[in-house]
Amino acid sequence: MQGLSETVPLGRRSGIGAILARKPLIVLALTVACLPLALLVTVTMPIGPMYWDHYIYLDAANRIFDGQIPSVDFFAPVGGLGYYLFAGWLYLFPNGHPLLLSSWSLMTVTAPLIALVVLDVQKRSPAIAYGLLLPFLFFSLLPFNTGDFYPYPGSDGFGIYNRQICQLLYVLAAALVFVRGWKTLAAVTAFAMLALLFIKVTGVVAGLVLCLMAFLTGRLPLRAALVGGGVFFAAIGFIELTSGTVSAYATDILSLVVINDTSLLPRLLQAASINFSVVLAGGLLGLVLLGSEFPAFSAATRAFVAKPSFRAIGRIADQSFLWMGSFIAAGLLFESQNTGSQAFIFLWPLLLAILIETYRHKGSSASFAIVAFLAFSAAIPPVATVTQKAARAWIGSVNNRPLEHDNLKSMGAVSIRDILSQRAQRLQTNYVAYRPAYDALAEAGELPSFLLYSDFEFQSLWLQSADDAVSAIRAFESANKVRFETIMTIDFTNPFPWLMDRHAPKYIAIGADPYRAVPQPGPRVNEAVAAVDLALYPTCPPTTARLKLLGLYQPALAPGHHRITLTPCYDAFVRNGIATAP
């Protein structure tokens, strides 16, 4: 990595081709300008595993439109930036599909930052600028994860904030490896780290590892680090003084740490096993680089022992194998806390730099061939996986049929195969007819299927049941001449206030996984639950998580609410005084 200077040219061309060849920034601008075209109408997406995960963004946006502040007014499993970006895009594109809005809204942050990187790099080499830009656009535009959690093809509606972190880490890595202007580097570093912090705190931990490595090697100059750090902490201070979000966010993080009190080592091993191909190829590449760089590393170490200095430390640290090790460590730290991600895509800027430097020193040699083979072995799996998943999902959707609904707005713009839709209906009949059996199963701590939340028929049935529930609520209101202003669900996600233009109660956790992301209710949560007009409890089927959530919230609901059967798949807790039970 020492002395890397990008001088890879593009061939001479004329006309528009020549302009685009020299100015990749134009390609970025045109791509961003085209995004609204896909958001002006509601695109139908093939349903996928854990598809309901992105409904959380609808719940959060509705709360934000009501004036609620993430972490201050409601508990969230991650930072609030992603929710604010989604809310802004939803306001601009109300007909846009929620999955595309939640995935693409991050480009509000990443597009300007990658533009700064491209602007700096294209002055020296448009080819390298394209080498950084095109993978960024590929992963940003295709809303798919690099890991497989289900055999059937479908949309990846889960792990969105994890994908966003990986895209931010990609931009940060590209800047730390290739940007030479210290002002640009300071700006990209500061705003990328801020975004990482306020989307998911583990992202800023991974980013810190990358920044420390760049600082030790001198790639992140002291003045850039000071300016970037100053902007970072000034922004945090301003946000805290104006909203109290930072301290509230820190409190939420501590609550999550307590809930998820497990050893780090098993999670690291799990992350390594899930991403085995990338980690293995990257590790082998690091060993090969260690072998070729060991003489220079030893010489730098001896020089430091003879005359210690910060510059000598930089010469020791600025070895490609150490860069590779730090990037893999950052990736493993982040992926150890994830389900669904675009794991290790941020390795590519470093791999590109290693390829350029190795070719410069080795030429078309066997050594370069080995390095290139291992580098592409680490880079290709994420690209191949996302390409395959996107192709399977959209080609396979030719045999899908759009979900029929009356009340789901753009959330219901999904398609599913007839055989799975029929299975969902048969399962619903079974859940209703034999509910005591499923209650007993949930009380025993088991789900009807080990992969229940990934099953397409579960996701389809959830949407159909929600559609029926909205119709039933409106019928109940009409019959009783009432209006439920605040609605909550005793379930993982609560898009009902958004669907019905109502309000969600404050302080109730969103993304309500009671095993990982719902603290024990305190006094203000219990007061909010007790004051809610309507609490919905889905029963098709009863699940361990729903049963646990019911145990958390029922003590606050019991004194002032009565339970009714709203639909065959939804019970409801109606606040006393709203209406008399039918």
Side-chain angles (χ1 to χ4, degrees):
M1 294 292 291
Q2 296 173 350
L4 176 62
S5 59
E6 307 88 354
T7 57
V8 179
L10 285 173
R12 293 182 178 274
R13 298 180 184 178
S14 60
I16 296 177
I19 296 174
L20 293 178
R22 293 193 301 269
K23 304 291 184 182
L25 203 58
I26 297 176
V27 174
L28 173 62
L30 291 174
T31 302
V32 173
C34 289
L35 289 182
L37 298 177
L39 298 172
L40 292 175
V41 296
T42 304
V43 179
T44 298
M45 303 288 287
I47 206 164
M50 293 180 273
Y51 188 77
W52 63 348
D53 200 35
H54 78 280
Y55 305 162
I56 296 171
Y57 286 85
L58 294 167
D59 184 11
N62 192 70
R63 291 168 182 258
I64 289 170
F65 294 151
D66 273 350
Q68 294 190 32
I69 300 174
S71 296
V72 175
D73 294 316
F74 61 90
F75 184 91
V78 292
L81 178 59
Y83 302 138
Y84 277 109
L85 294 175
F86 174 84
W89 281 51
L90 181 64
Y91 179 81
L92 294 174
F93 307 105
N95 294 322
H97 197 286
L99 178 54
L100 298 180
L101 289 171
S102 57
S103 299
W104 292 350
S105 59
L106 183 70
M107 294 189 74
T108 309
V109 176
T110 54
L113 295 182
I114 198 68
L116 291 175
V117 174
V118 169
L119 184 62
D120 181 276
V121 175
Q122 75 178 14
K123 298 173 184 176
R124 300 182 298 278
S125 172
I128 293 179
Y130 268 116
L132 297 172
L133 175 62
L134 295 180
F136 164 79
L137 292 176
F138 175 83
F139 288 111
S140 297
L141 295 177
L142 293 180
F144 292 88
N145 300 322
T146 54
D148 290 310
F149 290 91
Y150 203 67
Y152 288 168
S155 301
D156 281 345
F158 67 100
I160 291 168
Y161 40 76
N162 295 328
R163 293 202 297 262
Q164 292 177 337
I165 289 293
C166 292
Q167 291 160 20
L168 281 164
L169 288 174
Y170 182 100
V171 175
L172 178 62
L176 293 173
V177 173
F178 282 103
V179 167
R180 295 297 171 263
W182 75 268
K183 293 179 182 178
T184 299
L185 189 55
V188 175
T189 300
F191 289 108
M193 291 293 283
L194 277 169
L196 287 167
L197 174 63
F198 287 108
I199 288 181
K200 190 174 184 182
V201 71
T202 49
V204 82
V205 174
L208 183 61
V209 174
L210 304 187
C211 289
L212 285 175
M213 184 63 195
F215 181 73
L216 286 175
T217 62
R219 213 42 90 72
L220 180 62
L222 178 61
R223 57 182 174 177
L226 290 175
V227 171
V231 171
F232 178 83
F233 288 108
I236 289 177
F238 176 78
I239 293 170
E240 173 62 18
L241 289 174
T242 55
S243 67
T245 299
V246 179
S247 57
Y249 183 30
T251 301
D252 285 356
I253 292 169
L254 291 176
S255 299
L256 287 172
V257 169
V258 172
I259 297 171
N260 295 274
D261 185 19
T262 57
S263 174
L264 180 61
L265 180 59
R267 290 180 176 269
L268 289 172
L269 293 174
Q270 174 181 284
S273 65
I274 292 174
N275 302 284
F276 181 74
S277 59
V278 175
V279 174
L280 176 63
L284 291 175
L285 177 58
L287 291 175
V288 170
L289 294 171
L290 170 61
S292 63
E293 295 175 345
F294 188 76
F297 178 70
S298 298
T301 304
R302 290 193 297 269
F304 172 76
V305 172
K307 189 177 181 180
S309 67
F310 187 78
R311 182 172 296 180
I313 293 176
R315 285 193 291 268
I316 293 174
D318 196 14
Q319 309 293 329
S320 296
F321 72 91
L322 292 177
W323 277 91
M324 181 59 63
S326 66
F327 272 50
I328 291 176
L332 287 175
L333 280 172
F334 178 65
E335 295 303 324
S336 68
Q337 307 300 314
N338 292 344
T339 300
S341 176
Q342 289 181 340
F344 291 96
I345 64 171
F346 63 91
L347 284 181
W348 173 244
L350 177 62
L351 294 171
L352 180 59
I354 290 172
L355 286 168
I356 294 170
E357 185 179 21
T358 304
Y359 185 79
R360 181 175 296 120
H361 291 128
K362 305 288 187 179
S364 300
S365 62
S367 297
F368 173 74
I370 293 172
V371 169
F373 173 77
L374 293 173
F376 283 112
S377 294
I380 288 176
V383 177
T385 301
V386 170
T387 301
Q388 181 189 40
K389 293 179 76 172
R392 290 188 68 205
W394 290 330
I395 293 174
S397 67
V398 172
N399 296 319
N400 288 7
R401 180 173 297 180
L403 181 78
E404 295 182 3
H405 64 91
D406 297 317
N407 307 297
L408 299 181
K409 299 182 178 179
S410 57
M411 190 180 81
V414 298
S415 63
I416 187 171
R417 296 189 180 186
D418 285 340
I419 189 173
L420 293 175
S421 181
Q422 292 170 5
R423 174 173 166 80
Q425 296 303 318
R426 291 165 181 163
L427 285 173
Q428 179 183 16
T429 301
N430 197 272
Y431 293 149
V432 173
Y434 301 100
R435 179 168 165 180
Y438 290 100
D439 281 327
L441 195 63
E443 290 169 0
E446 294 293 340
L447 294 172
S449 164
F450 188 74
L451 295 177
L452 179 70
Y453 304 124
S454 294
D455 290 336
F456 290 11
E457 60 270 22
F458 173 86
Q459 297 296 332
S460 172
L461 178 56
W462 194 96
L463 285 168
Q464 293 168 340
S465 300
D467 186 43
D468 293 340
V470 172
S471 294
I473 292 170
R474 288 178 173 152
F476 185 94
E477 289 178 325
S478 178
N480 293 275
K481 295 180 173 54
V482 298
R483 177 181 170 88
F484 299 115
E485 291 295 341
T486 54
I487 301 175
M488 68 172 285
T489 56
I490 305 172
D491 200 11
F492 175 68
T493 185
N494 181 28
F496 289 94
W498 176 75
L499 291 173
M500 302 188 68
D501 299 317
R502 309 297 171 86
H503 310 285
K506 285 186 175 182
Y507 312 128
I508 309 300
I510 66 172
D513 181 346
Y515 298 100
R516 297 196 308 156
V518 181
Q520 189 70 27
R524 71 174 188 172
V525 172
N526 286 328
E527 289 176 8
V529 172
V532 75
D533 290 342
L534 183 70
L536 300 172
Y537 182 61
T539 59
C540 287
T543 67
T544 53
R546 290 166 175 171
L547 194 63
K548 190 172 180 64
L549 286 171
L550 183 63
L552 291 176
Y553 294 133
Q554 191 167 20
L557 289 169
H561 293 72
H562 54 273
R563 185 169 178 172
I564 65 171
T565 298
L566 184 67
T567 72
C569 285
Y570 268 94
D571 288 355
F573 292 85
V574 179
R575 185 166 61 83
N576 296 335
I578 290 288
T580 304

